[in-house]
Amino acid sequence: MSLKEKVVNLAFFSLLDTILGRVIHLLSLLVVIKFLPRDDFGIIGISFGYLAILSLLSLAPETVLYRDFPNIKSDKKINLYISSFILFGLFRTLIILVISCAIGGYLYWQYKNYIIPLTFVIITLGSNIILLQGPTKELLRVDFRQKLATITGFFIEVAILFIIISALFFSPSLVVYLSVFLATSICALMVWLTILKRIYNFSWVFNRDTIKVLKYSIRDFSFWNHLNGAITNLIYNVDTAILSLCGMPLVVIGNYTVALKLSNFFFFVPMILQGTNTIALSNVKKERSNFTVSLSLKYILIISLIQLGIFILFGRWLIETFITSKNSGLIFQHTLLIIIGVSILNIVRPLISWVAIKGNLKQVFFKVYLPSGTVSYTHLTLPTN
């Protein structure tokens, strides 16, 4: 199979994977909104808002696979690299969990309700267990085995959806949702590790080169790539935490959380094209990269405008019909403003891919992401009076 055929195949199954995942995620969201009170959904929103702050620590050295996998594979060092990445992920989870307990103490002091810090700590733990799936998923992706990843992910997500529906139908409570979230995160990780073993005959490798691999992966690529992504994620998700700090009611935070969750769906097609473009750029010579980026820019611009137009025309109706009729106008306004910002970000995704593979991520962090994050945080925290 030629590189072009591999890239097209990767793009197709990545798109299918994301569509299936987003549809199932939407169904899960609808189930949670239907069965849980809006106050409880606001607690979930607060948790993910503070989790966005902790994402600054969620460094993923496995992202170096996007750039260096051809060399790693030819040198037969897959086991060494994946072992190093998983070991780092376990250490990262421990550190983040300790910090989340401290933040949980603050949330208890603020709300005098133990369920809020408990929710935050469990969501933090479950989310970091999900992050441990990263090395296996990224390996399958860069090795053009996305079809297997798509099929596996689909069955896992369907099983999780079925469990959520069953559990909340018989016992609609936040505690039940959190229990399901944590348990399914652990089970899903076990499935991905089993696939890693069977496909790549994976075996643990820990030696003096483990630290060298992590130092190289983090210092040379992943650290700056992570900071750039973390600031973007912070800008997008920190709002609920700031609303909480400002003393907004849980109902208000719940409405805004619904808007954030809905606008997430406008990321997925451009993100797929960005990921496919990144892998393609790592396999082509620099003189061919301009054509690849130009083609991606054109398609993402068209897709972003179509998405925005569809939401403007049908967004209010979709929210009232399929999500909730309560405060639907306010949720529509919040979602529209967020989607406009998302569309602007989507348009520049091909340039982000080019910088990741052919450019200097460190310079981009200091010249683009850090100023953007600073301005956004300052604007969000300035007094409105």
Side-chain angles (χ1 to χ4, degrees), residues 101-206:
C101 290
I103 295 176
Y106 165 76
L107 290 173
Y108 180 77
W109 172 82
Q110 182 181 10
Y111 289 99
K112 300 298 186 294
N113 183 348
Y114 77 91
I115 201 67
I116 295 178
L118 178 63
T119 300
F120 172 63
V121 171
I122 291 177
I123 285 179
T124 299
L125 177 58
S127 298
N128 277 271
I129 291 173
I130 292 172
L131 288 179
L132 290 173
Q133 304 170 12
T136 304
K137 288 184 175 181
E138 299 293 9
L139 176 60
L140 291 171
R141 184 176 176 83
V142 299
D143 200 23
F144 297 102
R145 295 176 182 264
Q146 184 62 41
K147 180 179 179 179
L148 174 61
T150 298
I151 295 172
T152 303
F154 172 71
F155 283 108
I156 289 175
E157 293 293 337
V158 169
I160 292 174
L161 175 61
F162 176 77
I163 294 170
I164 290 176
I165 293 174
S166 301
L168 292 181
F169 179 80
F170 289 105
S171 183
S173 70
L174 182 58
V175 172
V176 169
Y177 168 76
L178 294 174
S179 301
V180 170
F181 177 72
L182 184 58
T184 54
S185 299
I186 296 172
C187 292
L189 175 61
M190 295 300 103
V191 172
W192 287 109
L193 290 178
T194 300
I195 289 176
L196 179 64
K197 173 66 176 178
R198 291 190 175 184
I199 300 300
Y200 293 97
N201 193 27
F202 174 74
S203 59
W204 295 97
V205 177
F206 298 117

Side-chain angles (χ1 to χ4, degrees), residues 233-254:
N233 181 62
L234 187 66
I235 292 172
Y236 184 73
N237 288 303
V238 77
D239 306 28
T240 52
I242 292 176
L243 289 173
S244 169
L245 290 172
C246 294
M248 291 294 175
L250 289 176
V251 172
V252 173
I253 298 175

